[in-house]
């Protein structure tokens, strides 16, 4: 073995971090000017393999610091501290339309980071790297408790932060794919928010009876949060993505039971029939099915289903009645929902009604529909199975990888600040109303 | 913005609702501490203050930054750390702080004004851990299973209180996990060629530089320093040589000789993932004698040696053996300081290592309050003999006032006193060292050890 290979030092700090935590990848003790490739490899729970890589040249001290140095090629370019994660893509030969999502949030994502000699683009699996380390990325901080919730007909999971509480609460809703997607709620709990993720499309009740849940289902979920002894009933928020956004708007405005401290809505719309519930929203959307378009790669584009934004008030949630701070997160290249257009319409409604001071819009160019917690790979399209059918489609979500990844990082940071300010802050610290009781 | 519209009636309703649910809720809240906390806060409209630790999953030698927010300004608080050892003993530390004008605190910048430690000590809640009053005597915190982390629960309490092992009412809490093994480090049991030990390999293809790792006459097999070395890029073999069930001959006797230690060294050199020319040796206590003795064997050429608080020779008896009893000093509790026996003047001449045969850099680490080993005197002897042989340039001395015998990887509590033997009779040994200077010594020594290994095994 030659001297370079013996000396190469590779470290990633922290070696065990949360999914939204940045790390520092450092290569040391190579010769100055040495060309190398840093490679990331991940094997999914579903058996698929993902990889990312970048080309660097060591500086005069024989060091490459991914947070400071420029990648000159690979799955990302430029100075990108977390590029090795967000630019992960399925290895050559994989099935098309894959999506990287962790189902089991109680174990970490294990990523292997390696250094190879030279600027390489393929065949990593057949070579011996100069050095290699393993990095753990966790959705759950130690002490966070995961509690399945099945009372009152709910299909949900509650994540409680470590400690006695009381904690503010978040009701977390995902979109039209259904299932229980736990990772965002787990991560929110790791940041001090008791979070309840709710399955409202493929819940046990729906699967058994064939009937969609109604508005009361969401109010029941809210009550679970409100009545939990370790959750502060007066500090509950809702966070929705895609179809979950639609539900969130309607609950925030029309429910007599649900009283929210703040709301975050990602990639969704207020356009929906204001009577009825989930079933009515889904029916309404599919009525416009003729507006589905296809890209040149035959990917389904659902964006136009809600366009143009209607002027009929019985098909739009009355945003003028919103009473708490609202953050809208939209990708300007969202090909799945007309989120940007909806956001502009909502802004207009709220300006007319005089409550637009409650509204914050985060709008990101070249960003697609699925704005998720940061540092997981972006994919412009993926295989999607709509609930209630056995068919799978290739759906276009939109977004360009670099911009979308930056948007995820920025949006998540701002979402956490927004949630902290509204759910933790907002009172004079120490001046509690009745704490002496 | 506090909702001015929140009426007293609503608040009472809230409280009533919570009382009812509290009485129902149960099994999810098995922890008495949490129940007490919830009852106390149930009338408040504020969320609990926030306590954070970063990184929350750390290696043993990494600093953890503990902070708190959303507390009343300029108010007294107590931080309390608790963990259970593998034997089930409770270990605890606590410290008194005051929040600043914004109701926050940070252990990396604030000063403790009382408790297990005072002053600015970011890691005091870890190295200041002690069994609470009333616990078994002479406990020593040592991780046997290095594949799992230490889980340390850190609580935030109101006011300046002294927990003393009893129930506490938490305002907030955070759980930290501290590991000896980085992800990807491989642990391999070694039982070949008569060698009994555990090999730790860093992640990756290698080849790696390596260390042979030996402890003292406590016997058994301590894996944790090796595991941590591997987590820092050095393959490491923890070697058992005394009082281990897989070693030949009667327990309580040293049944292995020079050939055993040479085989262990060669095992490292011959390993396909280890660089044969980059193998060093580290020893603590009696392990120092073994380190120096091995380094002077023909055909053994280590790249570097690290010696911590141990002798460069021995008597005819084994340390701890009753034959040495005339050298032991007892304190008023009947605890034993072994120190005198390891004075060079008390060593059998044929067992003193010939230091002129050492050909590689040697770092000797001294705890000046070591009551078990005459470390300073041995360091002096080694230094003198190397100087006489024209090899002073090989010698590095680190000497720490107030530090004791067990200078280990950082942020672990010191055992000033330890249960040495239970059979045939109870013996409690004095190891020395005071918490704060010992902790500082461990932190500084480890950093210098890693630099020393870097220059000698990777330079």
């Amino acid at each position: 073995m030659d001297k370079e290979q013996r000396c190469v030092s590779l470290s990633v700090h922290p070696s065990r971090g949360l999914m939204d935590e940045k790390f520092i990848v450092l290569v040391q003790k190579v010769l100055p000017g040495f060309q190398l490739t840093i490679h990331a490899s991940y094997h999914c729970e579903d058996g698929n393999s993902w990889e990312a890589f970048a080309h660097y040249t060591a500086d005069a001290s024989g060091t490459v610091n991914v947070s400071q140095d420029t990648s000159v090629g690979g799955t990302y370019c430029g100075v990108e501290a977390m590029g090795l994660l967000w630019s992960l893509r399925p290895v050559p030969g994989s099935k098309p339309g894959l999506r990287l999502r962790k189902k089991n949030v109680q174990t970490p994502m294990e990523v292997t980071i390696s250094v190879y000699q030279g600027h390489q683009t393929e065949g990593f699996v057949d070579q011996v790297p100069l050095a290699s380390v393993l990095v753990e990325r966790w959705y759950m901080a130690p002490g966070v408790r995961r509690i399945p919730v099945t009372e009152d007909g709910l299909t949900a999971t509650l994540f409680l932060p470590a400690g006695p509480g009381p904690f503010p609460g978040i009701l977390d809703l995902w979109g039209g794919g259904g299932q229980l997607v736990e990772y965002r709620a787990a991560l929110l709990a790791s940041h001090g928010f008791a979070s309840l993720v709710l399955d409202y499309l493929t819940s046990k009740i729906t699967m058994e009876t064939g009937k969609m849940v109604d508005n009361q289902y969401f109010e029941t979920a809210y009550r679970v949060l409100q009545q939990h002894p370790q959750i502060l009933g007066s500090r509950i928020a809702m966070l929705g993505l895609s179809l979950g956004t639609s539900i969130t708007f309607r609950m925030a405005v029309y429910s007599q039971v649900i009283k929210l401290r703040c709301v975050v809505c990602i990639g969704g719309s207020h356009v929906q029939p204001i009577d009825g519930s989930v079933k009515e929203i889904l029916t309404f959307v599919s009525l416009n099915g003729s507006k589905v378009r296809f890209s040149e790669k035959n990917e389904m584009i659902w964006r136009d289903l809600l366009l143009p934004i209607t002027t009929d008030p019985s098909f739009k949630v009355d945003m003028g009645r919103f009473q708490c701070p609202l953050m809208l997160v939209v990708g300007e290249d969202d090909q799945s929902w007309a989120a940007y257009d909806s956001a502009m319409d909502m802004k207009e409604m709220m300006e007319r009604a005089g409550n637009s001071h409650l509204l914050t819009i985060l709008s990101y160019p070249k960003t697609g529909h699925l704005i998720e917690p940061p540092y997981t790979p972006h994919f412009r399209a993926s295989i999607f199975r709509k609930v209630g059918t056995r068919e799978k489609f290739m759906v276009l979500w939109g977004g360009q990888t670099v911009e979308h990844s930056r948007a995820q990082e920025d949006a998540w940071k701002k979402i956490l600040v927004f949630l902290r300010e509204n759910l933790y802050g907002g009172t004079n610290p120490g001046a509690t109303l009745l704490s002496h009781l | 913005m506090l909702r001015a519209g929140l009426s007293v009636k609503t608040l009472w309703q809230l409280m009533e609702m919570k009382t009812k649910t509290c009485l129902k809720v149960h099994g999810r809240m098995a922890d008495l501490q949490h129940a007490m906390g919830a009852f106390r806060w149930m009338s408040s409209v504020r969320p609990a203050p926030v306590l954070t630790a970063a990184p929350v999953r750390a290696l043993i030698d990494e600093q953890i930054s503990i902070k708190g927010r959303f507390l009343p300004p300029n108010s007294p608080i107590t931080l309390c750390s608790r963990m259970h050892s593998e034997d089930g003993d409770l270990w605890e530390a606590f410290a008194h702080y005051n929040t600043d004008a914004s109701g926050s605190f940070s252990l990396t910048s604030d000063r403790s004004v009382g408790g297990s430690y005072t002053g600015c000590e970011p890691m005091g809640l870890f190295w200041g851990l002690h069994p609470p009053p009333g616990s078994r005597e002479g406990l020593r915190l040592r991780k046997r299973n290095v594949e799992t982390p230490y889980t340390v629960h850190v609580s935030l309490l109101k006011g300046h209180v002294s927990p003393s092992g009893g129930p506490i009412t938490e305002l907030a809490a955070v759980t930290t996990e501290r590991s000896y093994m980085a992800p990807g480090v491989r642990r391999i049991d070694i039982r070949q060629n008569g060698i009994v030990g555990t090999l730790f390999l860093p992640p990756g293809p290698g080849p790696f530089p390596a260390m042979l790792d030996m402890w003292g006459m406590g016997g058994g097999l301590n894996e944790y320093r090796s595991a941590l070395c591997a987590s820092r890029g050095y393959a490491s073999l923890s070697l058992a040589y005394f009082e281990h069930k897989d070693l030949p001959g009667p327990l309580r006797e040293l049944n292995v000789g020079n050939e055993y230690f040479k085989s262990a060294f060669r095992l490292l050199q011959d390993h396909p993932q280890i660089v044969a020319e980059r193998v060093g040796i580290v020893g603590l206590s009696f392990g120092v004698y073994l380190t120096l003795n091995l380094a002077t064997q023909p055909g053994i050429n280590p790249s570097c040696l690290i010696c911590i608080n141990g002798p460069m020779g021995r008597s005819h008896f084994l340390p701890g053996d009753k034959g040495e009893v005339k050298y032991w000093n007892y304190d008023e509790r009947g605890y034993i300081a072994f120190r005198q026996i390891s004075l060079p003047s008390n060593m059998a001449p044929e067992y003193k290592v010939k230091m002129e045969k050492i050909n590689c850099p040697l770092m000797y680490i001294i705890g000046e309050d070591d009551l078990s080993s005459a470390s300073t005197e041995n360091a002096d002897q080694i230094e003198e003999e190397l100087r006489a042989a024209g090899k002073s340039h090989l010698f590095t001395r680190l000497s720490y006032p107030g530090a004791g015998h067990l200078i280990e990887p950082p942020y672990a509590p010191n055992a000033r006193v330890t249960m040495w033997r239970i059979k045939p009779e109870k013996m409690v040994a004095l190891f020395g060292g005071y918490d704060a200077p010992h902790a500082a010594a461990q932190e500084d020594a480890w950093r210098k050890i890693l630099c020393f290994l870097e220059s000698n095994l990777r330079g």
Side-chain angles (χ1 to χ4, degrees):
Chain A
M1 292 257 178
D2 36 274
K3 197 167 192 292
E4 290 97 76
Q5 289 171 305
R6 264 187 223 155
C7 289
V8 173
S9 156
L10 170 65
S11 68
V12 178
H13 189 267
S15 54
R16 291 182 174 98
L18 286 181
M19 283 298 296
D20 59 356
E21 221 177 319
K22 282 182 130 157
F23 57 30
I24 299 175
V25 178
L26 205 56
V27 181
Q28 292 170 300
K29 312 218 88 171
V30 293
L31 292 175
F34 190 73
Q35 293 196 331
L36 52 88
T37 303
I38 303 185
H39 180 269
S41 165
Y42 175 58
H43 301 292
C44 254
E45 292 159 317
D46 59 16
N48 290 300
S49 295
W50 295 66
E51 69 172 4
F53 56 91
H55 298 154
Y56 291 92
T57 303
D59 66 14
S61 68
T63 301
V64 172
N65 180 336
V66 172
S67 302
Q68 294 167 1
D69 298 341
T70 306
S71 158
V72 295
T75 56
Y76 67 89
C77 289
V79 182
E80 298 288 354
M82 303 303 287
L84 287 166
L85 291 180
W86 57 248
S87 74
L88 281 169
R89 61 195 191 185
V91 296
S94 300
K95 287 189 300 235
L98 291 176
R99 187 170 169 181
L100 198 158
R101 304 185 99 179
K102 196 135 195 337
K103 278 215 171 65
N104 180 357
V105 296
Q106 295 181 296
T107 57
M109 186 175 162
E110 290 186 337
V111 181
T112 302
I113 301 210
S114 312
V115 184
Y116 291 87
Q117 190 163 350
H119 287 172
Q120 313 216 29
T121 54
E122 57 182 2
F124 295 100
V125 127
D126 303 316
Q127 292 180 61
V128 177
L130 299 178
S132 184
V133 293
L134 192 65
V135 176
E136 289 178 6
R137 307 287 292 171
W138 292 80
Y139 279 108
M140 279 173 75
V144 167
R145 290 153 286 169
R146 176 184 175 273
I147 302 156
V149 174
T150 52
E151 67 233 39
D152 300 324
L154 294 176
T155 300
T157 310
L158 176 64
F159 289 92
L160 285 177
F167 310 105
I170 298 178
L171 182 55
D172 182 354
L173 302 180
W174 285 80
Q179 311 294 319
L180 256 184
V181 181
E182 295 189 352
Y183 51 86
R184 188 170 60 197
L187 200 50
L188 288 168
S190 302
H191 286 289
F193 305 101
S195 299
L196 184 76
V197 57
L198 186 64
D199 180 357
Y200 60 91
L201 288 176
T202 53
S203 67
K204 191 156 174 285
I205 281 210
T206 298
M207 301 313 274
E208 283 173 359
T209 63
K211 286 171 66 182
M212 288 273 153
V213 301
D214 59 14
N215 292 335
Q216 237 187 317
Y217 185 80
F218 302 96
E219 290 171 346
T220 305
Y222 172 85
R223 280 215 183 83
V224 164
L225 284 175
Q226 195 196 29
Q227 292 174 350
H228 195 287
Q230 281 180 280
I231 297 174
L232 212 52
S234 58
R235 302 228 174 182
I236 296 177
M238 269 180 91
L239 193 158
L241 176 105
S242 196
L243 183 63
T245 292
S246 310
I247 309 282
T248 300
F249 283 136
R250 126 204 248 98
M251 292 298 143
V253 171
Y254 299 119
S255 170
Q256 296 302 308
V257 170
I258 293 177
K259 300 294 163 214
L260 299 170
R261 186 92 177 177
C262 67
V263 168
V264 178
C265 280
I266 307 172
S269 177
H270 59 317
V271 175
Q272 55 189 274
I274 57 180
D275 293 319
S277 187
V278 180
K279 179 153 155 281
E280 284 70 22
I281 300 178
L282 289 174
T283 309
F284 170 77
V285 171
S286 61
L287 278 179
N288 293 319
S290 55
K291 292 192 188 167
V292 168
R293 286 189 291 121
F294 289 85
S295 70
E296 64 279 2
K297 292 190 198 162
N298 221 26
E299 299 145 336
M300 278 185 111
I301 299 173
W302 285 331
R303 191 170 174 277
D304 295 344
L305 292 176
L306 295 180
L307 289 176
I309 303 288
T310 181
T311 48
D312 183 347
S314 56
F315 288 98
K316 285 200 290 196
V317 170
D318 186 359
M319 297 306 292
R321 285 171 55 176
F322 227 86
Q323 291 188 330
C324 67
L326 168 64
M327 174 176 268
L328 295 180
V329 184
V330 303
E332 290 167 18
D333 191 40
D334 187 337
Q335 297 296 322
S336 181
W337 281 71
Y340 180 78
D341 298 79
S342 301
M344 294 301 107
D345 190 70
M346 284 187 262
K347 180 163 178 247
E348 212 187 309
M349 286 174 91
M350 290 174 82
E351 275 164 356
R352 264 188 271 123
N355 64 344
S356 61
H357 61 282
L358 294 172
L359 180 63
T360 307
I361 299 180
L362 305 180
S363 180
Y364 297 99
K366 299 194 180 165
T367 297
H369 180 62
L370 297 168
I371 301 175
E372 299 209 10
Y375 313 138
T376 46
H378 164 256
F379 31 86
R380 201 166 155 70
S382 76
I383 298 279
F384 185 74
R385 179 152 62 131
K386 223 168 50 163
V387 153
T389 74
R390 293 198 68 81
E391 295 169 83
K392 290 187 184 179
F393 309 94
M394 186 71 90
V395 172
L396 185 66
W397 308 112
Q400 302 298 324
T401 296
V402 173
E403 288 83 356
H404 190 98
S405 301
R406 285 212 218 295
Q408 291 193 152
E409 185 179 34
D410 187 73
W412 185 248
K413 204 178 301 171
K414 292 186 165 130
I415 288 170
L416 288 178
V417 168
F418 178 79
L419 290 171
R420 261 184 221 123
E421 272 172 6
N422 285 288
L423 295 178
Y424 268 100
T427 48
N428 193 2
T432 54
L433 203 53
L434 291 167
S435 60
H436 61 278
L437 281 181
Chain B
M1 56 216 168
L2 183 61
R3 293 254 177 88
L6 201 59
S7 68
V8 176
K9 180 165 176 246
T10 318
L11 283 165
W12 277 112
Q13 280 173 341
L14 267 170
M15 279 161 56
E16 218 185 290
M17 218 160 52
K18 282 201 194 292
T19 318
K20 285 191 187 137
T21 349
C22 261
L23 293 173
K24 273 194 270 182
V25 164
H26 56 58
R28 276 194 203 153
M29 293 207 314
D31 193 339
L32 170 70
Q33 298 173 7
H34 290 181
M36 286 171 69
F39 269 105
R40 211 178 55 78
W41 277 84
M42 99 189 146
S43 57
S44 167
V45 294
R46 267 196 308 137
V50 171
L51 181 65
T52 57
V56 83
R57 292 182 173 93
L59 284 180
I60 284 286
D61 59 356
E62 284 175 343
Q63 283 218 356
I64 296 177
S65 168
I66 295 175
K67 297 185 181 179
R69 278 184 299 177
F70 302 117
L71 286 151
N74 305 312
S75 298
I77 44 133
T78 299
L79 281 168
C80 176
S81 55
R82 280 186 169 173
M83 57 160 280
H84 284 92
S85 67
E86 285 157 322
D87 298 324
D89 298 298
L90 175 66
W91 288 68
E92 173 189 85
F94 67 95
H96 297 154
Y97 291 90
N98 294 302
T99 60
D100 64 17
S102 70
S104 308
F105 67 85
S106 165
L107 295 208
T108 50
S109 55
D110 298 352
R111 304 177 63 84
S112 159
V113 296
S116 307
Y117 60 89
T118 53
C120 180
E121 297 287 357
M123 295 297 284
L125 288 174
F126 300 102
W127 57 250
L129 287 165
H130 276 289
S135 307
R136 299 188 292 150
E137 67 182 333
L139 289 175
R140 178 176 165 183
L141 190 66
R142 265 197 280 199
K143 196 95 174 44
R144 280 196 298 275
N145 179 0
V146 296
E147 293 181 296
T148 58
Y150 273 136
T151 300
V152 181
H153 190 85
V154 181
S155 307
L156 175 64
L157 315 175
K158 195 172 161 190
H160 286 169
V161 296
S162 302
S164 297
I168 51 175
T169 304
E170 296 178 311
L171 296 181
V174 69
T175 304
T176 63
E177 289 181 349
R178 299 178 61 232
S179 305
Y180 281 101
M181 275 172 78
V185 167
R186 291 156 288 167
R187 179 187 174 280
I188 302 152
D189 284 304
I190 300 292
R191 302 288 187 276
Q192 66 192 70
N193 305 347
I195 299 164
V196 177
T198 312
L199 176 65
F200 291 91
L201 291 174
F208 311 103
M211 291 293 284
L212 179 63
D213 183 306
M214 294 181 288
W215 292 74
M217 290 303 283
L221 191 50
N222 286 329
E223 298 186 358
Y224 49 94
R225 188 173 54 205
S226 283
L228 195 58
C229 278
S231 301
R232 294 295 172 204
Y234 304 95
S236 188
L237 176 66
S238 285
L239 185 66
Y241 61 88
F242 178 68
E243 285 200 336
H244 189 287
K245 63 175 177 38
D246 295 338
L247 287 168
L251 288 177
R252 203 126 322 132
E253 283 177 28
L254 187 59
N255 304 306
V256 295
N258 288 337
E259 283 315 306
Y260 180 79
F261 298 98
K262 283 159 72 175
S263 296
F265 190 84
R266 292 216 174 92
L267 182 143
L268 283 173
Q269 287 186 305
D270 293 341
H271 195 286
Q273 282 182 284
I274 291 174
V275 183
E277 310 81 45
R278 301 205 177 212
V279 179
I281 314 172
V282 55
L284 181 136
S285 197
F286 191 69
V288 168
Y289 166 70
L290 297 171
T291 297
L292 296 172
N293 188 47
L294 177 58
T296 55
Q297 298 297 309
I300 299 290
N301 295 303
S303 300
C304 64
L305 306 171
I306 298 175
C307 301
I308 307 169
N309 287 328
M312 45 80 72
R314 48 169 283 209
S315 72
H316 292 292
F317 302 103
L318 287 180
D321 188 294
K322 281 287 197 158
E324 297 185 329
V325 71
K326 67 179 191 281
Y327 295 108
W328 298 349
N329 293 319
Y330 294 82
D331 76 355
E332 63 284 354
R333 295 166 292 184
Y335 297 167
I336 311 166
F338 295 123
R339 198 178 194 280
Q340 293 293 94
I341 185 60
S342 55
L343 284 169
S345 49
N346 289 328
M347 290 172 186
E350 64 268 37
Y351 282 122
K352 286 168 88 166
V353 174
K354 294 181 169 41
M355 296 306 302
E356 65 272 16
K357 290 188 181 172
I358 298 287
N359 288 321
C360 68
L362 188 165
M363 173 179 270
Y364 194 102
I365 301 173
I366 300 164
E368 289 174 17
D369 192 50
D370 188 343
L371 300 175
S372 190
S373 163
S375 308
T376 302
E377 292 86 337
N378 275 281
D380 290 342
Q381 182 76 18
I382 291 169
E383 184 170 20
E384 176 50 36
E385 289 189 26
L386 285 173
R387 194 201 56 77
K391 293 182 176 180
S392 303
H393 60 284
L394 294 177
F395 186 73
T396 304
R397 173 197 298 242
L398 304 179
S399 189
Y400 298 101
H405 186 57
L406 295 169
I407 296 180
E408 299 200 354
Y411 315 129
N414 176 44
R416 184 172 172 75
V417 151
T418 182
M419 184 66 69
W420 179 248
R421 269 197 211 309
I422 304 181
K423 298 181 187 138
E425 68 206 45
K426 198 177 88 170
M427 284 165 64
V428 180
L430 286 164
F431 281 175
Y434 298 94
D435 284 5
H438 192 90
Q442 291 191 151
E443 186 180 42
D444 188 73
W446 183 249
R447 197 176 301 141
K448 294 195 162 112
I449 285 171
L450 289 178
C451 282
F452 184 74
L453 294 179
E454 177 77 30
S455 355
N456 289 290
L457 295 180
R458 274 212 266 262

